[in-house]
């Protein structure tokens, strides 16, 4: 009995697909088995390296350069470096343990890093054409505090990849403290918010922030550097930079001007009012709002006329702030204001303020 052509084609496809599925299942089992074997192998080797590294650190003898046990361990480490996967495990174990120890052990471990030849591989990474490998190389010399690598790392301060730049910046802060901030002198590319957060976190761990001298960077040609350093000035209350902060109110970049107003507000710098008042109608809405933030902290009765001029502002926030400030610095005049107006938002603000102050 012969099948019609279409049934023959269908059955052929079914058999072919079934065969392919069986092959894929078999291949998947092989892959999963290889992964398990690889994971078990890596785990076993990781445990060996961790054990040997701890033994090395605790077998140190001040009277002997290297004990016999340490020499044996060094040979074992060096032998493992010839294998790429073993070398990766050794590096990861070194980094992990270096973050868990302290004191003389850290220095011993850094010497061991160089002794077994890991530094050579770090330099090799720095010469790679792949950005991710370069970033790992910088991470390695940063983790093991290789100060003599700074001439190599300087090349990456303005690297096209943000990840590489970030590692380079952290290297200088981690190893050289405030002196490491000199990389800002040569920085031409942006500092992202995440970069700034990480750098600030590192700076916060430096013991003596009194030796930080931020003034020169407040005049940097890189606007991102200026904004970053303005944040530092605010966090560490470096009020001695006041004159430069006032100069930055004339900066060509609006973000710098806004940040300068924010910092001046933080310090309650009254002189900023005399600069911003005459130009209020020519600056941006954002700057106007920032200026009223400053006025909320520094306004005095002599500012009444300026405040009155803006209680009918078209901008709701400015109007709200103006009325609130007036209520604070000149209550008598505020009470004499008309309590109703054709401007509904004005009425809402007055009603809210009167209620808030128990009028």
């Amino acid at each position: 009995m012969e099948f019609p052509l279409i049934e023959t084609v269908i059955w052929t496809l079914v058999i072919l697909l079934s065969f392919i599925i069986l092959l894929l299942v078999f291949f998947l089992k092989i892959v999963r088995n290889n992964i398990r074997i690889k994971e078990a192998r890596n785990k076993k080797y990781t445990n060996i390296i961790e054990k040997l590294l701890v033994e090395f650190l605790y077998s140190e003898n001040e009277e002997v350069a290297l004990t016999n046990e340490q020499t044996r361990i060094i040979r074992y480490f060096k032998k493992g470096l010839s294998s790429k996967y073993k070398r990766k495990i050794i590096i990861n174990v070194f980094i992990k343990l270096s973050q868990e120890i302290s004191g003389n052990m850290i220095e011993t471990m850094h010497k061991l890093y160089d002794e077994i030849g890991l530094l050579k591989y770090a330099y090799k990474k720095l010469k790679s054409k792949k950005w991710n490998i370069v970033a790992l190389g910088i991470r390695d010399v940063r983790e093991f505090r290789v100060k003599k690598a700074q001439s190599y790392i300087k090349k990456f301060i303005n690297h096209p990849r943000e990840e590489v730049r970030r590692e380079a910046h952290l290297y200088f802060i981690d190893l050289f403290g405030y002196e490491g901030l000199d990389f800002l002198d040569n920085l031409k590319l942006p500092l992202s918010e995440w970069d700034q957060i990480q750098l600030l976190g590192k700076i916060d761990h430096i013991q003596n922030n009194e030796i930080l001298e931020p003034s020169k960077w407040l005049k940097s040609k890189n606007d991102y550097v200026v904004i970053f350093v303005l944040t530092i000035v605010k966090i560490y209350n470096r009020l001695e930079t006041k004159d430069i902060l006032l100069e930055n109110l004339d900066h060509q970049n609006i973000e710098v001007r806004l940040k300068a107003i924010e910092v001046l507000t933080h310090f309650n710098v009254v002189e900023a009012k005399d600069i911003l008042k005459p130009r209020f109608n020519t600056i941006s809405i954002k700057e106007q709002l920032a200026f009223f933030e400053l006025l909320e902290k520094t306004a005095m009765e002599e500012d009444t006329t300026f405040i009155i001029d803006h209680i009918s502002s078209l901008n709701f926030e400015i109007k709200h702030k103006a009325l609130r400030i007036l209520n604070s610095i000149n209550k008598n005049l505020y009470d004499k204001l008309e309590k109703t107006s054709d401007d509904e938002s004005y009425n809402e603000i007055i009603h809210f303020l009167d209620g808030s102050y128990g009028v």
Side-chain angles (χ1 to χ4, degrees):
M1 179 178 177
E2 295 185 1
F3 291 105
L5 179 60
I6 190 169
E7 290 187 14
T8 302
V9 171
I10 290 173
W11 279 108
T12 301
L13 287 173
V14 169
I15 293 171
L16 181 61
L17 289 172
S18 298
F19 179 72
I20 291 173
I21 290 171
L22 287 173
L23 279 178
L24 289 173
V25 170
F26 180 70
F27 177 74
L28 181 60
K29 286 186 176 181
I30 292 176
V31 170
R32 291 180 65 182
N33 188 54
N34 286 339
I35 290 174
R36 281 196 293 268
I37 292 173
K38 185 177 179 180
E39 287 179 347
R41 178 195 64 186
N42 290 351
K43 185 175 181 180
K44 180 180 178 181
Y45 190 71
T46 298
N47 290 336
I48 292 173
I49 296 301
E50 287 178 346
K51 180 182 177 183
L52 288 176
L53 187 51
V54 171
E55 285 183 15
F56 183 93
L57 294 173
Y58 281 95
S59 62
E60 187 176 16
N61 188 333
E62 294 182 0
E63 298 178 359
V64 182
L66 285 174
T67 65
N68 292 335
E69 181 64 18
Q70 286 179 318
T71 302
R72 180 187 69 81
I73 293 172
I74 287 175
R75 283 200 300 266
Y76 187 87
F77 284 151
K78 286 183 175 180
K79 183 179 178 181
L81 294 184
S82 59
S83 166
K84 187 175 180 180
Y85 96 85
K86 287 183 177 180
R87 184 166 67 247
K88 184 176 180 181
I89 289 174
I90 291 173
I91 292 173
N92 288 338
V93 170
F94 268 57
I95 290 176
K96 178 185 175 184
L97 192 58
S98 69
Q99 296 170 345
E100 298 174 355
I101 60 177
S102 60
N104 293 333
M105 283 188 178
I106 293 180
E107 186 177 348
T108 301
M109 196 168 179
H110 292 168
K111 290 179 181 178
L112 178 61
Y113 177 83
D114 196 354
E115 174 71 25
I116 66 176
L118 280 176
L119 181 56
K120 177 183 70 175
Y121 286 101
Y123 282 137
K124 188 176 179 180
K125 290 178 183 178
L126 295 178
K127 296 176 182 177
S128 174
K129 294 181 179 179
K130 297 180 179 179
W131 69 265
N132 57 314
I133 301 300
V134 173
L136 287 175
I138 301 174
R139 179 209 63 178
D140 290 350
V141 295
R142 176 168 66 87
E143 289 287 350
F144 291 98
R145 307 192 69 79
V146 184
K147 289 188 175 182
K148 60 185 177 181
Q150 62 176 310
S151 59
Y152 285 88
I153 310 305
K154 282 181 180 178
K155 303 173 185 177
F156 304 113
I157 288 173
N158 291 298
H159 194 277
R161 294 292 306 203
E162 183 181 338
E163 296 86 347
V164 176
R165 297 199 303 272
R166 182 178 301 134
E167 284 294 339
H169 302 163
L170 292 175
Y171 167 86
F172 285 106
I173 295 294
D174 263 359
L175 271 65
F176 302 100
Y178 290 126
E179 292 181 8
L181 279 172
D182 284 345
F183 80 83
L184 295 173
D185 295 340
N186 302 312
L187 186 65
K188 296 178 176 63
L189 297 175
L191 276 172
S192 70
E193 287 190 21
W194 177 238
D195 289 334
Q196 293 185 46
I197 290 170
Q198 288 201 304
L199 288 173
L200 288 170
K202 293 292 182 181
I203 291 171
D204 191 49
H205 285 87
I206 301 175
Q207 294 298 320
N208 184 7
N209 62 62
E210 289 300 322
I211 63 174
L212 174 63
E213 178 45 63
S215 298
K216 65 175 181 176
W217 294 307
L218 291 174
K219 298 180 179 181
S220 171
K221 294 180 180 179
N222 186 330
D223 296 347
Y224 293 96
V225 169
V226 178
I227 292 170
F228 172 60
V229 176
L230 283 169
T231 301
I232 292 177
V233 168
K234 179 180 177 181
I235 291 175
Y236 294 104
N237 292 314
R238 304 310 295 265
L239 184 55
E240 72 274 14
T241 62
K242 181 185 72 173
D243 291 340
I244 306 177
L245 296 178
L246 292 170
E247 289 176 16
N248 276 328
L249 293 178
D250 293 314
H251 200 281
Q252 61 182 1
N253 187 318
I254 184 174
E255 296 302 325
V256 173
R257 297 198 301 270
L258 285 169
K259 191 69 179 179
I261 297 172
E262 177 190 321
V263 179
L264 289 164
T265 300
H266 172 73
F267 291 134
N268 296 339
V269 178
V270 178
E271 294 97 311
K273 291 192 301 182
D274 298 328
I275 296 175
L276 292 171
K277 266 186 188 181
R279 65 178 73 165
F280 184 83
N281 293 326
T282 62
I283 61 179
S284 68
I285 288 293
K286 286 185 177 180
E287 290 170 277
Q288 290 178 352
L289 288 168
F291 177 52
F292 264 88
E293 294 283 346
L294 173 65
L295 283 176
E296 284 190 290
K297 296 184 70 175
T298 61
M300 295 179 284
E301 192 168 348
E302 64 192 46
D303 297 308
T304 299
T305 302
F306 178 84
I307 300 299
I308 286 289
D309 289 341
H310 294 90
I311 62 173
S312 299
S313 171
L314 295 177
N315 183 281
F316 179 84
E317 289 186 62
I318 291 177
K319 184 189 307 179
H320 184 198
K321 290 179 184 297
L323 286 166
R324 188 166 64 207
I325 294 170
L326 181 63
N327 195 8
S328 174
I329 65 173
N330 197 326
K331 188 73 166 70
N332 290 334
L333 188 55
Y334 171 82
D335 289 337
K336 293 176 182 179
L337 292 175
E338 292 289 340
K339 300 301 181 179
T340 57
S341 166
D342 293 335
D343 182 353
E344 285 301 320
S345 61
Y346 175 91
N347 297 334
E348 290 175 7
I349 295 170
I350 289 291
H351 178 73
F352 172 77
L353 290 176
D354 287 350
S356 298
Y357 288 92
V359 179

